[in-house]
Amino acid sequence: MSYEKKGLFKRFAKKIKASAGPGPYQVNGIQVICVHCRHDQFDHGFAQLNTALLSFLNLDFANRSANILICHRCGYIHWFNKDIKRIPSDGW
């Protein structure tokens, strides 16, 4: 493998690793900042919004989900009913 290909592979691997970890996000064009510690790096996840009726009928899978962002510094969980977008990092 040539040096040029190795360098490209290393940069690509670094970008993949960075995109899998915590990062900055925005909702409706506004950057998300932790309300507890003012940090801007979050892990993204989903949480199911259960309702009593669908739980009673054992149909929990039919409930909606919310986007959650977990602060990488303090662990505070931010809930969003709208779509969120990861802010791409500089590079390449």
Side-chain angles (χ1 to χ4, degrees):
M1 186 182 291
S2 72
Y3 175 75
E4 191 174 303
K5 287 183 181 178
K6 285 181 184 178
L8 181 61
F9 179 75
K10 284 183 180 180
R11 286 197 322 249
F12 178 72
K14 189 175 181 180
K15 292 292 180 187
I16 294 295
K17 185 177 178 182
S19 68
Y25 287 85
Q26 64 182 4
V27 178
N28 290 339
I30 302 168
Q31 185 172 356
V32 179
I33 303 293
C34 180
V35 297
H36 182 69
C37 71
R38 311 293 298 160
H39 195 57
D40 69 344
Q41 300 289 310
F42 299 91
D43 290 310
H44 176 253
F46 296 97
Q48 196 165 14
L49 302 173
N50 291 335
T51 60
L53 177 61
L54 290 179
S55 293
F56 177 75
L57 298 173
N58 202 22
L59 297 172
D60 288 319
F61 66 89
N63 285 312
R64 294 179 19 190
S65 293
N67 285 296
I68 59 170
L69 292 177
I70 304 162
C71 179
H72 191 66
R73 181 187 289 163
C74 71
Y76 189 88
I77 301 173
H78 300 76
W79 292 69
F80 296 95
N81 193 26
K82 298 188 180 261
D83 290 330
I84 61 173
K85 179 181 176 188
R86 186 177 176 121
I87 300 172
S89 52
D90 300 343
W92 290 95

